[in-house]
Structure formats: structure tokens, C-alpha cells
Amino acid sequence: MAKNRKALLKIGDSTFDKIQAFYINPDAYPLSEAVEDIRKRWVYVTSLLLKAYPKFKIANMLEKDFGLSQAQAYLDIRNAENVFGSITKTDDEAFKVMWTEWTKDFLKRARQRKDLKAEAKALDMLAKYSDLSKDDLEFNPEKLKNLNIEVKMPKQLEQYLEQAINSGVIDFNKIDVTDISFEEVENGKED
């Protein structure tokens, strides 16, 4: 177990490293009383973030309740997010997904009521909140250009192509493949 401890913690490691090691294996990496107090502050910060408190209010609360400087309060907020994850990034993404689902439900109800105006609004909202960029929605006539495609094949296969066009089925068991020309290429040799 001592080997494992050396792998995670070294002399001079920061408080952040010690708390992170504690969460990996609390039995192998116990915290001192001072570091445990810091960990409890970070848990407190995370609980306030989960309750949707703004960061400046959390910093003010840390200053008032724990006697920290403003700089240390914001460091605690950043470290709590680094240990437990950024609530706001996850929250923003979750809200975006929920908004998209609400819009889909709105679209479904508009179609059930046969309300074309509400349906158009729902489709507009769905495009807006689903991150469909204008580039994705623009019409590109070059993609629909009538291209002339040429297929070259040996004379012997023409009859099979005609058979496929006429009947839609080719019997590959009847194709004579014994006389196929090929060129042998050796790997690894350069000219």
C-alpha cells in the first residue's frame, strides 16, 4: 500500500492533490485536521453551487462564515469545481437538452391540434436551440448537379449488366472468372 501512496502523493504536494488522493482512497490517504477543514469548505461550496447560488454570493458567504479573503474564497470555488466538477457547465448543457425536449413536445402538441402557426414556431425554436447553424440549413444547388458518371468494364461483363438492368437479378454463379487479368504488386519495394 505504501507503493500506491507514493504514486499519488509526493512531498510538497498541494492541498488539492491531497484532497483528490483522499477521494481516490480515503483509507490510504487520511487528511490532517487543517486539510479536512478545507475539504469541508469545498463540499459546502459545491452544495451551494447545486442550489444555484451565484459565485459572488458564495464568495461573500465564505468570507463572512470562514473569515477568508476574497481571493481565497474564489480559489476555494475554483478548486471545488475542479474536484467535484463544474456544476454550471453541466447545468447549462442539461438545460439546453431539456429545452430541446420541451420544444419537441410543443411541436407534437401543435401537430395534434393541427395548428400550423404553432408548428412553424416549434420548428423554428427546434432549429435555434438544437444548434443547427445557418450553414446546415442553406440550400446548395451544386450538390444536386446532374453529374455524368462513366463506368468502364470489360466487354465480357456487358451481358451481365444488361441482364441486371432487364431482370434486376444477376446469377453470380454463372460468371466465368477464370480469365481475369491482374498485375502483381510487391509490397515494400520502392522504385
Side-chain angles (χ1 to χ4, degrees):
M1 188 101 41
K3 234 183 201 183
N4 232 2
R5 186 175 178 146
K6 287 182 182 180
L8 286 175
L9 289 177
K10 302 178 286 297
I11 295 173
D13 276 345
S14 68
T15 303
F16 181 85
D17 295 330
K18 292 175 185 175
I19 292 174
Q20 196 171 30
F22 171 78
Y23 278 107
I24 291 171
N25 189 349
D27 296 329
Y29 305 102
L31 300 176
S32 67
E33 191 175 321
V35 177
E36 178 63 22
D37 290 340
I38 294 170
R39 185 194 68 80
K40 287 179 182 176
R41 281 197 326 245
W42 293 359
V43 170
Y44 176 68
V45 166
T46 303
S47 69
L48 292 175
L49 286 169
L50 284 169
K51 293 178 184 176
Y53 277 78
K55 290 182 182 179
F56 75 90
K57 282 192 178 183
I58 296 172
N60 290 341
M61 292 168 78
L62 288 173
E63 289 176 52
K64 182 180 151 194
D65 296 343
F66 295 96
L68 300 178
S69 68
Q70 188 177 25
Q72 184 60 51
Y74 280 102
L75 283 172
D76 276 4
I77 293 169
R78 185 197 67 201
N79 287 330
E81 286 182 332
N82 286 337
V83 169
F84 301 113
S86 177
I87 307 304
T88 55
K89 286 181 185 174
T90 307
D91 191 42
D92 290 345
E93 193 63 31
F95 184 73
K96 184 178 170 185
V97 169
M98 287 304 300
W99 187 265
T100 304
E101 290 303 314
W102 293 329
T103 306
K104 288 178 183 176
D105 184 54
F106 176 54
L107 176 63
K108 183 180 87 174
R109 287 182 284 127
R111 284 183 175 160
Q112 287 172 347
R113 289 189 316 262
K114 297 182 178 168
D115 185 356
L116 295 178
K117 190 173 184 180
E119 185 178 347
K121 177 69 176 171
L123 288 171
D124 183 47
M125 289 169 53
L126 193 59
K128 181 178 179 183
Y129 296 113
S130 298
D131 285 339
L132 292 176
S133 67
K134 290 184 180 182
D135 296 337
D136 294 339
L137 298 176
E138 287 182 4
F139 175 69
N140 186 356
E142 290 182 14
K143 289 184 178 180
L144 298 176
K145 189 187 295 184
N146 188 11
L147 299 176
N148 187 17
I149 300 172
E150 293 182 20
V151 178
K152 295 184 180 182
M153 65 176 53
K155 272 280 198 211
Q156 298 125 349
L157 292 179
E158 280 184 22
Q159 65 180 349
Y160 296 109
L161 181 61
E162 287 175 9
Q163 180 186 354
I165 292 171
N166 294 333
S167 66
V169 178
I170 299 178
D171 187 1
F172 286 105
N173 293 322
K174 294 183 180 177
I175 297 176
D176 183 24
V177 292
T178 56
D179 189 25
I180 298 176
S181 61
F182 69 95
E183 179 182 336
E184 188 171 330
V185 178
E186 294 182 25
N187 291 333
K189 292 185 178 180
E190 295 181 21
D191 292 334

